[in-house]
Short mmCIF file of all heavy atoms in Angstrom, two decimals:
data_model
loop_
_atom_site.label_atom_id
_atom_site.label_comp_id
_atom_site.label_asym_id
_atom_site.label_seq_id
_atom_site.Cartn_x
_atom_site.Cartn_y
_atom_site.Cartn_z
N VAL A 532 -13.77 -1.10 21.71
CA VAL A 532 -14.25 -1.56 20.41
C VAL A 532 -13.98 -3.06 20.29
O VAL A 532 -13.15 -3.60 21.03
CB VAL A 532 -13.57 -0.81 19.24
CG1 VAL A 532 -13.80 0.69 19.37
CG2 VAL A 532 -12.07 -1.13 19.16
N GLN A 533 -14.68 -3.71 19.37
CA GLN A 533 -14.56 -5.17 19.21
C GLN A 533 -14.30 -5.51 17.76
O GLN A 533 -15.08 -5.13 16.88
CB GLN A 533 -15.83 -5.87 19.70
CG GLN A 533 -15.77 -7.40 19.61
CD GLN A 533 -17.07 -8.05 20.05
OE1 GLN A 533 -18.03 -7.37 20.38
NE2 GLN A 533 -17.08 -9.36 20.09
N ARG A 534 -13.21 -6.21 17.50
CA ARG A 534 -12.90 -6.65 16.14
C ARG A 534 -13.73 -7.90 15.83
O ARG A 534 -13.62 -8.91 16.52
CB ARG A 534 -11.40 -6.94 16.03
CG ARG A 534 -10.89 -7.32 14.65
CD ARG A 534 -11.14 -6.27 13.59
NE ARG A 534 -10.49 -5.02 13.78
CZ ARG A 534 -9.28 -4.68 13.32
NH1 ARG A 534 -8.57 -5.56 12.67
NH2 ARG A 534 -8.81 -3.48 13.52
N LEU A 535 -14.52 -7.83 14.78
CA LEU A 535 -15.42 -8.92 14.41
C LEU A 535 -14.86 -9.78 13.29
O LEU A 535 -15.17 -10.98 13.22
CB LEU A 535 -16.79 -8.36 13.98
CG LEU A 535 -17.52 -7.47 15.00
CD1 LEU A 535 -18.82 -6.95 14.40
CD2 LEU A 535 -17.78 -8.22 16.29
N ALA A 536 -14.10 -9.21 12.40
CA ALA A 536 -13.58 -9.96 11.26
C ALA A 536 -12.33 -9.25 10.74
O ALA A 536 -12.18 -8.04 10.91
CB ALA A 536 -14.63 -10.07 10.15
N THR A 537 -11.46 -10.02 10.08
CA THR A 537 -10.25 -9.43 9.50
C THR A 537 -9.96 -10.07 8.15
O THR A 537 -10.22 -11.28 7.95
CB THR A 537 -9.01 -9.61 10.40
OG1 THR A 537 -8.71 -11.00 10.54
CG2 THR A 537 -9.22 -8.99 11.77
N LEU A 538 -9.39 -9.28 7.26
CA LEU A 538 -8.92 -9.81 5.99
C LEU A 538 -7.81 -10.83 6.20
O LEU A 538 -7.70 -11.81 5.47
CB LEU A 538 -8.40 -8.64 5.12
CG LEU A 538 -9.45 -7.70 4.55
CD1 LEU A 538 -8.79 -6.40 4.08
CD2 LEU A 538 -10.19 -8.35 3.39
N ALA A 539 -7.00 -10.61 7.22
CA ALA A 539 -5.88 -11.50 7.51
C ALA A 539 -6.34 -12.91 7.85
O ALA A 539 -5.62 -13.89 7.62
CB ALA A 539 -5.02 -10.95 8.65
N HIS A 540 -7.55 -13.04 8.38
CA HIS A 540 -8.09 -14.36 8.75
C HIS A 540 -8.97 -14.93 7.63
O HIS A 540 -9.67 -15.92 7.86
CB HIS A 540 -8.89 -14.26 10.05
CG HIS A 540 -8.04 -14.04 11.25
ND1 HIS A 540 -8.52 -13.62 12.47
CD2 HIS A 540 -6.69 -14.17 11.43
CE1 HIS A 540 -7.53 -13.50 13.35
NE2 HIS A 540 -6.41 -13.82 12.72
N GLY A 541 -8.99 -14.28 6.48
CA GLY A 541 -9.75 -14.81 5.36
C GLY A 541 -11.13 -14.23 5.19
O GLY A 541 -11.88 -14.66 4.31
N ASP A 542 -11.51 -13.28 6.03
CA ASP A 542 -12.81 -12.63 5.90
C ASP A 542 -12.77 -11.65 4.74
O ASP A 542 -11.71 -11.22 4.29
CB ASP A 542 -13.20 -11.91 7.19
CG ASP A 542 -13.26 -12.87 8.38
OD1 ASP A 542 -14.06 -13.84 8.29
OD2 ASP A 542 -12.55 -12.67 9.35
N GLY A 543 -13.93 -11.25 4.24
CA GLY A 543 -13.99 -10.36 3.10
C GLY A 543 -13.66 -8.93 3.41
O GLY A 543 -13.37 -8.13 2.51
N VAL A 544 -13.68 -8.57 4.69
CA VAL A 544 -13.45 -7.19 5.10
C VAL A 544 -13.04 -7.18 6.58
O VAL A 544 -13.46 -8.06 7.34
CB VAL A 544 -14.72 -6.32 4.87
CG1 VAL A 544 -15.89 -6.86 5.70
CG2 VAL A 544 -14.47 -4.87 5.18
N CYS A 545 -12.22 -6.23 6.96
CA CYS A 545 -11.94 -6.05 8.40
C CYS A 545 -13.09 -5.24 9.00
O CYS A 545 -13.39 -4.14 8.53
CB CYS A 545 -10.62 -5.27 8.60
SG CYS A 545 -9.15 -6.16 8.09
N THR A 546 -13.73 -5.81 10.02
CA THR A 546 -14.90 -5.16 10.60
C THR A 546 -14.69 -4.97 12.10
O THR A 546 -14.34 -5.92 12.81
CB THR A 546 -16.16 -6.03 10.38
OG1 THR A 546 -16.30 -6.31 8.99
CG2 THR A 546 -17.40 -5.29 10.88
N THR A 547 -14.89 -3.75 12.56
CA THR A 547 -14.74 -3.41 13.97
C THR A 547 -16.04 -2.79 14.47
O THR A 547 -16.56 -1.84 13.87
CB THR A 547 -13.60 -2.40 14.18
OG1 THR A 547 -12.38 -2.94 13.63
CG2 THR A 547 -13.38 -2.13 15.66
N PHE A 548 -16.58 -3.35 15.56
CA PHE A 548 -17.79 -2.82 16.14
C PHE A 548 -17.45 -1.70 17.12
O PHE A 548 -16.62 -1.88 18.01
CB PHE A 548 -18.57 -3.92 16.86
CG PHE A 548 -19.80 -3.40 17.60
CD1 PHE A 548 -20.90 -2.94 16.91
CD2 PHE A 548 -19.81 -3.38 19.00
CE1 PHE A 548 -22.00 -2.46 17.58
CE2 PHE A 548 -20.92 -2.90 19.68
CZ PHE A 548 -22.02 -2.44 18.97
N VAL A 549 -18.10 -0.55 16.92
CA VAL A 549 -17.89 0.61 17.80
C VAL A 549 -19.23 0.90 18.49
O VAL A 549 -20.21 1.27 17.83
CB VAL A 549 -17.46 1.85 17.00
CG1 VAL A 549 -17.24 3.03 17.95
CG2 VAL A 549 -16.20 1.55 16.20
N PRO A 550 -19.34 0.70 19.81
CA PRO A 550 -20.62 0.91 20.49
C PRO A 550 -21.05 2.38 20.42
O PRO A 550 -20.22 3.27 20.48
CB PRO A 550 -20.34 0.47 21.92
CG PRO A 550 -18.87 0.60 22.07
CD PRO A 550 -18.28 0.28 20.73
N ARG A 551 -22.34 2.57 20.25
CA ARG A 551 -22.87 3.93 20.20
C ARG A 551 -23.17 4.36 21.62
O ARG A 551 -23.58 3.60 22.46
CB ARG A 551 -24.13 3.98 19.35
CG ARG A 551 -24.68 5.39 19.18
CD ARG A 551 -25.90 5.39 18.25
NE ARG A 551 -25.51 5.08 16.87
CZ ARG A 551 -25.97 4.05 16.17
NH1 ARG A 551 -26.82 3.21 16.74
NH2 ARG A 551 -25.58 3.86 14.93
N GLY A 552 -22.95 5.64 21.88
CA GLY A 552 -23.21 6.19 23.20
C GLY A 552 -22.46 7.47 23.38
O GLY A 552 -22.19 8.19 22.43
N SER A 553 -22.07 7.74 24.60
CA SER A 553 -21.30 8.94 24.89
C SER A 553 -19.87 8.52 25.18
O SER A 553 -19.53 8.21 26.33
CB SER A 553 -21.88 9.67 26.10
OG SER A 553 -23.22 10.07 25.81
N PRO A 554 -19.05 8.45 24.14
CA PRO A 554 -17.67 8.00 24.37
C PRO A 554 -16.91 8.98 25.23
O PRO A 554 -17.20 10.17 25.26
CB PRO A 554 -17.08 7.96 22.95
CG PRO A 554 -17.90 8.93 22.17
CD PRO A 554 -19.28 8.88 22.76
N THR A 555 -15.95 8.45 25.95
CA THR A 555 -15.09 9.32 26.73
C THR A 555 -14.16 10.05 25.78
O THR A 555 -14.05 9.72 24.62
CB THR A 555 -14.27 8.49 27.73
OG1 THR A 555 -13.50 7.54 27.00
CG2 THR A 555 -15.19 7.75 28.69
N ALA A 556 -13.46 11.05 26.32
CA ALA A 556 -12.52 11.79 25.48
C ALA A 556 -11.43 10.87 25.00
O ALA A 556 -11.00 9.98 25.73
CB ALA A 556 -11.94 12.95 26.28
N PRO A 557 -10.97 11.04 23.77
CA PRO A 557 -9.86 10.21 23.29
C PRO A 557 -8.66 10.31 24.22
O PRO A 557 -8.37 11.38 24.75
CB PRO A 557 -9.55 10.80 21.91
CG PRO A 557 -10.81 11.49 21.50
CD PRO A 557 -11.42 12.01 22.77
N GLN A 558 -7.98 9.18 24.41
CA GLN A 558 -6.84 9.18 25.30
C GLN A 558 -5.71 10.00 24.71
O GLN A 558 -5.52 10.05 23.51
CB GLN A 558 -6.35 7.74 25.53
CG GLN A 558 -7.38 6.85 26.20
CD GLN A 558 -6.84 5.45 26.37
OE1 GLN A 558 -5.63 5.27 26.54
NE2 GLN A 558 -7.69 4.47 26.34
N THR A 559 -4.95 10.62 25.56
CA THR A 559 -3.76 11.36 25.08
C THR A 559 -2.67 10.35 24.78
O THR A 559 -2.72 9.20 25.20
CB THR A 559 -3.26 12.33 26.16
OG1 THR A 559 -2.83 11.55 27.30
CG2 THR A 559 -4.36 13.29 26.57
N SER A 560 -1.67 10.81 24.06
CA SER A 560 -0.56 9.91 23.73
C SER A 560 0.15 9.45 24.98
O SER A 560 0.63 8.33 25.06
CB SER A 560 0.42 10.62 22.79
OG SER A 560 0.90 11.83 23.37
N GLN A 561 0.18 10.30 26.04
CA GLN A 561 0.85 9.89 27.28
C GLN A 561 0.06 8.78 27.96
O GLN A 561 0.62 7.82 28.45
CB GLN A 561 0.97 11.11 28.21
CG GLN A 561 1.72 10.77 29.52
CD GLN A 561 1.93 12.01 30.37
OE1 GLN A 561 1.54 13.11 29.99
NE2 GLN A 561 2.53 11.83 31.53
N THR A 562 -1.29 8.89 27.96
CA THR A 562 -2.13 7.84 28.54
C THR A 562 -1.96 6.55 27.78
O THR A 562 -1.87 5.48 28.37
CB THR A 562 -3.61 8.29 28.53
OG1 THR A 562 -3.74 9.53 29.21
CG2 THR A 562 -4.48 7.23 29.18
N THR A 563 -1.96 6.66 26.45
CA THR A 563 -1.80 5.46 25.62
C THR A 563 -0.48 4.79 25.89
O THR A 563 -0.39 3.57 25.99
CB THR A 563 -1.89 5.84 24.13
OG1 THR A 563 -3.11 6.54 23.91
CG2 THR A 563 -1.83 4.61 23.25
N HIS A 564 0.59 5.59 26.05
CA HIS A 564 1.91 5.02 26.31
C HIS A 564 1.92 4.30 27.65
O HIS A 564 2.47 3.21 27.77
CB HIS A 564 2.95 6.13 26.30
CG HIS A 564 4.34 5.65 26.65
ND1 HIS A 564 5.11 4.95 25.78
CD2 HIS A 564 5.05 5.78 27.81
CE1 HIS A 564 6.26 4.64 26.36
NE2 HIS A 564 6.24 5.13 27.58
N SER A 565 1.27 4.89 28.65
CA SER A 565 1.25 4.27 29.97
C SER A 565 0.50 2.95 29.91
O SER A 565 0.90 1.95 30.52
CB SER A 565 0.60 5.22 30.99
OG SER A 565 1.34 6.41 31.09
N ALA A 566 -0.64 2.93 29.19
CA ALA A 566 -1.43 1.73 29.08
C ALA A 566 -0.65 0.64 28.36
O ALA A 566 -0.68 -0.53 28.73
CB ALA A 566 -2.74 2.00 28.35
N SER A 567 0.07 1.02 27.31
CA SER A 567 0.85 0.06 26.56
C SER A 567 1.95 -0.51 27.43
O SER A 567 2.24 -1.71 27.38
CB SER A 567 1.45 0.70 25.30
OG SER A 567 0.44 1.14 24.46
N ALA A 568 2.59 0.36 28.21
CA ALA A 568 3.69 -0.09 29.07
C ALA A 568 3.20 -1.06 30.11
O ALA A 568 3.87 -2.05 30.43
CB ALA A 568 4.36 1.12 29.73
N SER A 569 1.97 -0.86 30.63
CA SER A 569 1.48 -1.71 31.69
C SER A 569 1.07 -3.07 31.17
O SER A 569 0.97 -4.03 31.91
CB SER A 569 0.26 -1.05 32.38
OG SER A 569 -0.82 -0.93 31.48
N THR A 570 0.79 -3.16 29.83
CA THR A 570 0.34 -4.45 29.29
C THR A 570 1.38 -5.06 28.35
O THR A 570 1.12 -6.09 27.75
CB THR A 570 -0.96 -4.24 28.48
OG1 THR A 570 -0.73 -3.27 27.46
CG2 THR A 570 -2.09 -3.77 29.39
#
Side-chain angles (χ1 to χ4, degrees):
V532 303
Q533 182 182 4
R534 184 59 64 90
L535 304 177
T537 64
L538 289 163
H540 290 165
D542 300 303
V544 61
C545 293
T546 306
T547 305
F548 175 70
V549 181
R551 184 177 291 121
S553 299
T555 59
Q558 297 179 31
T559 64
S560 57
Q561 183 176 358
T562 303
T563 305
H564 176 75
S565 299
S567 297
S569 65
T570 57

